[in-house]
Amino acid sequence: MTGKKIWFGILVMTLVFGMAGIENIYSQSNPNGTLTVTDIPSRFNGKYIFFIGENWSFEIIGAQSLDQTAETGTGARIVNGNVSIPVWIERAGDIVRYAGSQTFDIEFIIIETALIDDDTMEIAVFELEGVTFTNGNASASFHDYVIFDEDF
């Protein structure tokens, strides 16, 4: 995994071009979609995390913030084995907070520093299947991972 670059720009472009026409997955009245993950091993405290989630129809991205113009983002900081990650989706060419009720398979990427760009190096990856969101929010436990790979 060391030396593997995360192609964040490609992910953002996938969101921008891949989700036109979906109307029920975002909302201006509930712009606070968040995924909370618990039970993350303590060796990752102080590190940062982001994710890519997908189901049969579209993708979401989890990050503290996203800069669509610069094709960068900021990971959410892991504290005491827990993290709350804002969830984003494309809406009419803009990236906005997700507010839908769908189930996703999610790949989490743990990184050393907050910045997410083409040079970001992952230190660990884990996947969760079947994470169900209701009104943009969901919770999950690290203990439920189906794949875990680390180079830390």
Side-chain angles (χ1 to χ4, degrees), residues 88-110:
W88 306 88
I89 193 161
E90 186 273 337
R91 175 185 180 189
D94 292 323
I95 303 294
V96 297
R97 293 293 284 274
Y98 174 70
S101 298
Q102 302 278 336
T103 299
F104 294 89
D105 294 336
I106 297 179
E107 180 178 76
F108 296 87
I109 298 99
I110 299 175

Side-chain angles (χ1 to χ4, degrees), residues 11-51:
L11 297 174
V12 170
M13 295 313 292
T14 299
L15 281 174
V16 170
F17 295 113
M19 292 186 264
I22 299 172
E23 296 296 328
N24 63 345
I25 55 177
Y26 42 72
S27 167
Q28 292 294 352
S29 63
N30 178 23
N32 297 315
T34 302
L35 172 58
T36 300
V37 182
T38 59
D39 306 314
I40 300 169
S42 63
R43 66 184 171 276
F44 297 118
N45 285 336
K47 308 299 182 211
Y48 296 84
I49 190 169
F50 70 99
F51 72 78

Side-chain angles (χ1 to χ4, degrees), residues 3-150:
K4 181 178 175 186
K5 291 187 177 187
I6 299 168
W7 298 103
F8 183 72
I10 293 170
L11 297 174
V12 170
M13 295 313 292
T14 299
L15 281 174
V16 170
F17 295 113
M19 292 186 264
I22 299 172
E23 296 296 328
N24 63 345
I25 55 177
Y26 42 72
S27 167
Q28 292 294 352
S29 63
N30 178 23
N32 297 315
T34 302
L35 172 58
T36 300
V37 182
T38 59
D39 306 314
I40 300 169
S42 63
R43 66 184 171 276
F44 297 118
N45 285 336
K47 308 299 182 211
Y48 296 84
I49 190 169
F50 70 99
F51 72 78
I52 301 106
E54 61 184 15
N55 64 17
W56 57 273
S57 61
F58 58 92
E59 291 184 344
I60 55 176
I61 290 182
Q64 190 63 43
S65 64
L66 297 173
D67 183 335
Q68 196 170 356
T69 303
E71 296 183 352
T72 63
T74 304
R77 189 177 182 123
I78 301 168
V79 177
N80 295 324
N82 302 303
V83 66
S84 290
I85 309 167
V87 183
W88 306 88
I89 193 161
E90 186 273 337
R91 175 185 180 189
D94 292 323
I95 303 294
V96 297
R97 293 293 284 274
Y98 174 70
S101 298
Q102 302 278 336
T103 299
F104 294 89
D105 294 336
I106 297 179
E107 180 178 76
F108 296 87
I109 298 99
I110 299 175
I111 55 179
E112 191 72 40
T113 60
L115 180 65
I116 305 165
D117 64 10
D118 285 344
D119 295 321
T120 299
M121 303 295 289
E122 61 194 38
I123 58 175
V125 174
F126 67 97
E127 294 181 25
L128 295 173
E129 293 180 345
V131 177
T132 299
F133 287 79
T134 302
N135 298 322
N137 298 300
S139 60
S141 170
F142 174 87
H143 294 306
D144 295 328
Y145 70 82
V146 292
I147 297 173
F148 176 64
D149 187 18
E150 87 177 287

